[in-house]
Amino acid sequence: MPGAGHQIIDGERRVGTSGQTHDVIDPATGSVVESVDLAGAADVDAAVSAAAAAQPAWGGATPGERAAALTRLAGVLADRAEEYAQVETSQTGKPIKLTREFDVPGSIDNVSFYAGAARNLEGRAAAEYDGTHTSMVRREAMGVVGSIAPWNYPLQMAVWKVLPAIAAGNAIVLKPAELTPLTSVMLAEDCLAAGIPAGVVNVLTGAGRVAGEALLAHPGVRMVSFTGSTPVGKRVMEVASQTVKRVHLELGGKAPFVVFDDADLEAAVHGAVAGALINTGQDCTAATRAYVQRPLYDAFVQGVADLMRTVRLGDPRDESTDQGPLVSHAQQGRVAGFVDRARTSGAKVVVGGQVPGGALAAGAYYEPTLVIDAAQDSEIVQDEIFGPVLVVLPFDSDDEGIRLANDTPFGLAASAWSRDVVRSMRASREIQAGCVWINDHIPIISEMPHGGYKSSGFGKDMSQYSFDEYTQVKHVSVDITGEVRKDWHRTIFGDR
Ligand code: NAD
């Protein structure tokens, strides 16, 4: 692509005008992967203008034309899959087997899903509800969408934002997280390579408080889609309210993992360790609080401890590595802080709870960690840690298990483990979360919605439901009487 810099605006690479740069760091080694220029407010203006100029033609293309471009995009991404996996691993520290088998294929599948979904957008069928008008509902694009993404799944989050927006005929300005912008820039380039017109997908690598806030405040942006932490989500709503934008928020999580006493213990133990440690625990749906009914509690803690000790920390580029570093040393400090404070307030660390030394000392590593005996109202049970830490607590009655599962401000995801269909169905109904797994924890699928209850936000990513965020519906009402004086005019003209 012509041009220098990391901003993709109107189909060109440009250098961000903030005058600042940010070094993308490999958290496994601390070395610089790439120095990235940062966008300023002028770049936000330019990107929003480019999006506004490109949107009418893109929104006016037939669903079939948009679907064809998205299908080509899936092909371009598949051709570069290994490159994407390597870059994603460099900027996040994710094990290469995770980026190769999960992040990249999951993203490509999502692109393919939206290629199909683009052809299935519809308003509801027409009818004559009062006998004198034919009503129909048009589903229309919002216009220009501004999206802000987090660092934990950079490519997937970019795809989850960009694809429903453009499949529905919007143009988008995406701001990835400062720590992990590289695969979002690649995605914008690949949109162009696939024949998606310049200006439809713009990417700004900028700081949250600068480019992010300018995007939220920009009067040319009609909708904001944000994935990130709950505190920043509150700020997003506040800024977006000034220009009455539609807001879609995918925020933090603190997923409960409820094990009833008839559960398959071995399956629950495996599910808990994998569900807690995926992506080094930096997953908004990760299992963070396991509530285990008293008869299984001791065996569950023992089983999790034994299995956690087998998880291999190491170089994320090594195919045998199970868990890489956290995304940054700041995140490592945050995770260690939670565990250290829990320890001093009476909780017991059964496994891990340390920053490893030796060959891993230079990276942002943290050991897989199992904590017990924490109080339900302590911060390690209530707040999002975003690290490889599982807290296990006992419960007695089914009522208590479900009550504890619901006892945080979050409601993104949860799982319940039981062989009893009545218990499982009750848990799926009564746990307040946007997703409840039964006898598993983590799998997501493009056809199904992802999004929170309570302080985990509102609105859905993925699936046909995402179009409820990225489109607006219009009622069109057509008079079918042809009368000059309509019956309802009596209220104005009286008997004349
Ligand atoms: P974050 O909230 O710190 O940052 C997210 C994005 O917001 C970044 O791009 C950042 O630059 C930007 N930002 C920060 N301050 C801003 C401001 N004042 N105005 C505008 N933009 C601003 O989150 P993070 O640390 O990057 O990601 C981790 C968080 O994301 C966790 O809380 C996690 O649960 C959440 N998350 C949620 C989901 C979900 O689907 N619900 C998915 C992934 C991550």
Side-chain angles (χ1 to χ4, degrees):
M1 176 187 282
H6 291 84
Q7 319 308 317
I8 309 287
I9 301 174
D10 206 11
E12 292 173 356
R13 269 183 178 269
R14 298 187 193 169
V15 179
T17 59
S18 71
Q20 305 206 306
T21 57
H22 174 84
D23 287 343
V24 176
I25 303 293
D26 178 343
T29 60
S31 60
V32 176
V33 179
E34 197 165 324
S35 182
V36 171
D37 49 283
L38 294 181
D43 305 305
V44 174
D45 252 345
V48 173
S49 297
Q55 193 274 326
W58 177 249
T62 64
E65 287 164 345
R66 286 203 295 273
L70 301 192
T71 301
R72 289 194 298 273
L73 176 60
V76 175
L77 297 186
D79 289 346
R80 288 181 85 184
E82 179 58 20
E83 197 185 338
Y84 271 103
Q86 294 289 348
V87 175
E88 198 75 323
T89 285
S90 303
Q91 65 177 354
T92 60
K94 287 168 188 279
I96 192 74
K97 66 178 175 180
L98 183 68
T99 51
R100 277 189 190 140
E101 294 173 26
F102 188 78
D103 297 65
V104 176
S107 300
I108 296 170
D109 181 70
N110 208 249
V111 175
S112 298
F113 168 79
Y114 279 107
R119 302 189 82 158
N120 287 288
L121 273 164
E122 56 182 10
R124 274 211 239 127
E128 289 71 43
Y129 295 97
D130 64 358
T132 59
H133 298 78
T134 298
S135 285
M136 59 186 124
V137 171
R138 293 174 56 85
R139 190 174 275 279
E140 298 182 343
M142 296 296 295
V144 176
V145 174
S147 286
I148 298 179
W151 45 254
N152 61 337
Y153 289 97
L155 176 63
Q156 270 189 307
M157 293 302 106
V159 164
W160 286 15
K161 298 291 172 215
V162 170
L163 268 294
I166 67 173
N170 300 284
I172 186 167
V173 180
L174 169 73
K175 193 206 82 62
E178 295 90 319
L179 293 178
T180 57
L182 302 178
T183 45
S184 298
V185 174
M186 289 166 67
L187 176 68
E189 287 179 325
D190 285 343
C191 287
L192 292 160
I196 296 168
V200 173
V201 178
N202 307 275
V203 168
L204 299 176
T205 62
R209 289 201 166 277
V210 181
E213 295 230 359
L215 191 57
L216 299 174
H218 201 291
V221 174
R222 289 304 332 136
M223 170 191 169
V224 172
S225 176
F226 171 80
T227 299
S229 60
T230 299
V232 178
K234 291 179 185 170
R235 176 73 184 146
V236 169
M237 278 184 98
E238 200 176 296
V239 179
S241 72
Q242 299 308 305
T243 40
V244 197
K245 290 178 173 54
R246 180 180 289 181
V247 176
H248 168 211
L249 297 179
E250 296 281 3
L251 306 179
K254 189 73 188 173
F257 184 105
V258 184
V259 184
F260 293 102
D261 58 14
D262 66 307
D264 179 332
L265 179 66
E266 206 184 339
V269 164
H270 280 80
V273 173
L277 301 185
I278 184 160
N279 207 32
T280 318
Q282 301 161 119
D283 183 309
C284 49
T285 64
T288 58
R289 305 175 281 143
Y291 297 102
V292 184
Q293 209 154 17
R294 197 82 59 178
L296 292 189
Y297 177 79
D298 289 340
F300 181 88
V301 169
Q302 188 63 53
V304 167
D306 291 346
L307 196 56
M308 259 192 186
R309 291 193 182 98
T310 68
V311 171
R312 296 159 298 184
L313 254 67
D315 177 355
R317 287 171 194 80
D318 182 337
E319 285 176 10
S320 67
T321 291
D322 299 320
Q323 188 186 300
L326 291 152
V327 75
S328 65
H329 281 93
Q331 190 65 15
Q332 182 195 46
R334 178 183 155 85
V335 173
F338 269 101
V339 176
D340 292 346
R341 289 188 296 276
R343 220 185 238 127
T344 55
S345 57
K348 186 172 165 208
V349 177
V350 180
V351 178
Q354 300 293 338
V355 167
L360 303 181
Y365 289 88
Y366 197 78
E367 292 176 351
T369 298
L370 171 62
V371 175
I372 60 170
D373 297 343
Q376 173 65 19
D377 62 359
S378 61
E379 65 161 13
I380 202 161
V381 178
Q382 291 291 321
D383 295 346
E384 190 173 40
I385 305 169
F386 235 49
V389 180
L390 178 67
V391 183
V392 184
L393 299 159
F395 69 92
D396 291 303
S397 68
D398 288 18
D399 283 352
E400 186 190 14
I402 290 175
R403 181 179 61 72
L404 292 171
N406 285 331
D407 179 33
T408 75
F410 298 104
L412 187 60
S415 64
W417 297 72
S418 168
R419 293 171 162 123
D420 179 329
V421 72
V422 176
R423 267 178 155 172
S424 306
M425 290 304 291
R426 178 183 174 205
S428 70
R429 189 174 69 245
E430 295 186 13
I431 294 177
Q432 297 152 4
C435 173
V436 178
W437 290 283
I438 302 295
N439 296 331
D440 205 348
H441 194 113
I442 288 296
I444 50 171
I445 192 80
S446 296
E447 287 82 353
M448 287 292 119
H450 168 89
Y453 278 25
K454 295 160 62 180
S455 294
S456 293
F458 46 81
K460 299 294 172 189
D461 281 324
M462 305 206 291
S463 82
Q464 208 75 23
Y465 290 95
S466 63
F467 289 135
D468 291 342
E469 320 307 324
Y470 291 96
T471 60
Q472 48 197 342
V473 292
K474 178 187 281 176
H475 173 208
V476 177
S477 177
V478 182
D479 172 75
I480 56 168
T481 65
E483 291 168 352
V484 171
R485 184 175 282 214
K486 321 283 188 203
D487 187 45
W488 71 269
H489 290 179
R490 279 181 293 123
T491 59
I492 303 296
F493 305 125
D495 295 331
R496 283 175 288 138

